């Protein structure tokens, strides 16, 4: 995991994203020019051993930015409302 302010979480050291540029996980947007980075970050998360822990943390924390546990902020907003995710574009 590349986000220093979450280093206290036990699962952080096992995050696949530690091997990548942190900016990839904070795309400028999840549409338009940022879409490619967001999709790439989500693909990395799909292979991550601590995806579940990461996503649970992001949902608990109400993390408003970045890709966490394979979800964008928009995905997490849907999840918090218990709504189905929109179809991938
Ligand atoms: S799920 Fe994604 S953001 Fe979370 S630790 Fe794994 S690679 Fe990093």
């Amino acid at each position: 995991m590349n986000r220093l302010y979450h280093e206290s979480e036990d699962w952080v050291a096992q995050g696949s994203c530690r091997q990548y540029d942190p900016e990839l996980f904070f795309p400028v947007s999840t549409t338009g020019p940022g879409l490619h980075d967001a999709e790439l970050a989500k693909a990395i998360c799909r292979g991550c051993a601590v995806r579940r822990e990461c996503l649970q943390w992001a949902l608990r924390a109400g993390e408003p930015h970045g890709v966490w546990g394979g979800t964008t902020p928009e995905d997490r907003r849907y999840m918090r409302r218990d709504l189905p995710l929109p179809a991938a574009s």
Side-chain angles (χ1 to χ4, degrees):
M1 174 62 54
N2 42 40
R3 298 154 196 149
L4 294 176
Y5 52 96
H6 302 298
E7 292 288 342
S8 62
E9 300 288 330
D10 291 342
W11 50 267
V12 167
Q14 300 172 57
S16 298
C17 53
R18 294 185 76 96
Q19 304 166 42
Y20 296 90
D21 183 345
E23 290 190 17
L24 182 63
F25 290 82
F26 290 90
V28 293
S29 67
T30 54
T31 59
L35 178 61
H36 175 75
D37 282 356
E39 291 301 320
L40 185 53
K42 289 170 85 169
I44 293 166
C45 292
R46 280 194 289 275
C48 179
V50 292
R51 180 179 178 185
R52 176 189 296 241
E53 292 86 345
C54 180
L55 176 57
Q56 288 174 341
W57 181 89
L59 289 170
R60 268 198 322 271
E63 177 58 56
H65 305 290
V67 173
W68 295 86
T71 63
T72 62
E74 291 77 20
D75 295 335
R76 294 192 297 277
R77 278 196 287 278
Y78 277 92
M79 295 172 91
R80 281 195 295 270
R81 292 183 208 143
D82 202 21
L83 297 171
L85 297 177
S89 52

